[in-house]
Amino acid sequence: MAGTPRSAMPGTPYGRRLGRFLAAIAALTAVAGVSACNTGSVFDLQPAVDVGTTSGVQPGVGMQALVPSNPYMTAAYPRFDRPLSPTDQLSPDEVDCRKELKRLRVAYTDLAPISDGGQCGIAHPVKVSAIGNIEMKPAATLTCAMAASFASWTRNELTSAARWRYFSGVKSIRQGSSYSCRKIRGEGVLSEHGKGNALDVMAIELNNGKVIDVRKPGLFAFRERGLLNTVRADGCSYFTTVLGPGYNYDHRNHFHFDIKSRKSGYRACR
């Protein structure tokens, strides 16, 4: 072949070695491509998150030991939702809470009581699919109180911050974990997710097509950093726990909001 050294031609020892080398490179490239496709992302609700002790990271203590979001346990939770039975009675507080949801224009469905493993469960769960025109992806199973707190934060803080920073409304909120029967890692204490009092936000989609990934923004991502810092700080007025990127490795890709009841009204906003 013109321009090809005779030693590199097929059939020669050098040519055979060169062919094996190129085949090995192609195989490694294919494996890398498949691995990259399998790591998942927050946008398809399949982030590659370790729900055990995070590899290479010193295990946390106290609140830092919270198990990170795992969509396989929550967003795709293997349960069949049962609607609330006509014979189930709601307490006056639950009735008032649902009036508040309607005032906040929350689209929700009443579900039958959830009970998992004794400790976990929600006496009167609601499944939230939208807050006004803002879609919840996927629908979140919560207590009514948590749904009302999140809806208030969304309408009063998130939407106004998005319009101020991006001149756009919010199209959808991509959540990675609502109700999930699990404990705080290393402590044996039930997580607020196991009570329906917690929600993890992975990304925020705006009407203009912009998707804001809830991770620590880059150095020059001024608008994203401003929006995320604002809505996290404002969240402390609506939730008793607000954790997010910058707090620890487990919360590097989401905001964790919950309404855990603590003595003396203590709030953990990190």
Side-chain angles (χ1 to χ4, degrees):
M1 290 183 289
T4 303
R6 293 181 61 83
S7 61
M9 289 183 178
T12 65
Y14 178 78
R16 287 194 294 271
R17 289 196 299 270
L18 179 61
R20 287 194 295 269
F21 174 75
L22 293 176
I25 292 296
L28 289 173
T29 301
V31 170
V34 171
S35 298
C37 291
N38 287 339
T39 56
S41 72
V42 294
F43 299 136
D44 60 9
L45 296 173
Q46 293 181 349
V49 176
D50 182 1
V51 297
T53 301
T54 306
S55 178
V57 178
Q58 186 69 24
V61 295
M63 290 179 59
Q64 290 200 21
L66 280 167
V67 176
S69 294
N70 180 6
Y72 296 107
M73 299 170 63
T74 55
Y77 196 78
R79 70 165 58 252
F80 294 98
D81 292 326
R82 293 189 299 113
L84 184 68
S85 169
T87 60
D88 289 330
Q89 297 294 317
L90 297 176
S91 68
D93 286 345
E94 291 289 337
V95 171
D96 289 343
C97 182
R98 281 154 179 76
K99 290 179 181 178
E100 179 66 5
L101 292 185
K102 291 176 181 177
R103 187 188 71 80
L104 293 168
R105 296 179 56 221
V106 176
Y108 71 93
T109 302
D110 278 307
L111 300 180
I114 298 173
S115 180
D116 289 319
Q119 284 186 303
C120 296
I122 311 176
H124 301 291
V126 294
K127 189 169 187 176
V128 177
S129 56
I131 300 170
N133 295 324
I134 303 171
E135 186 180 358
M136 184 72 73
K137 294 184 177 181
T141 300
L142 303 164
T143 62
C144 184
M146 179 61 191
S149 294
F150 189 79
S152 296
W153 171 81
T154 298
R155 293 180 62 86
N156 298 335
E157 310 300 341
L158 178 59
T159 55
S160 60
R163 290 192 182 281
W164 174 257
R165 299 278 179 178
Y166 287 94
F167 307 103
S168 174
V170 178
K171 181 179 181 180
S172 69
I173 296 172
R174 301 180 182 182
Q175 63 95 2
S177 179
S178 54
Y179 171 74
S180 172
C181 186
R182 65 182 190 243
K183 296 180 180 179
I184 297 176
R185 185 175 59 194
E187 294 191 2
V189 177
L190 185 65
S191 165
E192 290 302 303
H193 283 286
K195 305 173 186 178
N197 285 332
L199 186 67
D200 291 345
V201 174
M202 313 297 288
I204 300 162
E205 181 184 6
L206 303 182
N207 287 332
N208 63 11
K210 172 73 174 176
V211 176
I212 302 171
D213 185 0
V214 182
R215 294 177 182 268
K216 193 172 183 179
L219 182 61
F220 298 105
F222 300 113
R223 284 203 294 179
E224 285 192 19
R225 183 185 298 109
L227 175 67
L228 295 176
N229 286 344
T230 296
V231 297
R232 174 159 60 177
D234 291 340
C236 296
S237 299
Y238 299 82
F239 310 100
T240 58
T241 308
V242 179
L243 304 175
Y247 173 59
N248 70 356
Y249 183 79
D250 283 346
H251 295 84
R252 68 196 181 280
N253 62 357
H254 67 277
F255 284 142
H256 169 94
F257 300 115
D258 73 46
I259 54 172
K260 179 182 177 67
S261 178
R262 297 188 180 91
K263 294 180 179 179
S264 304
Y266 173 70
R267 292 174 183 256
C269 298
R270 312 287 173 84

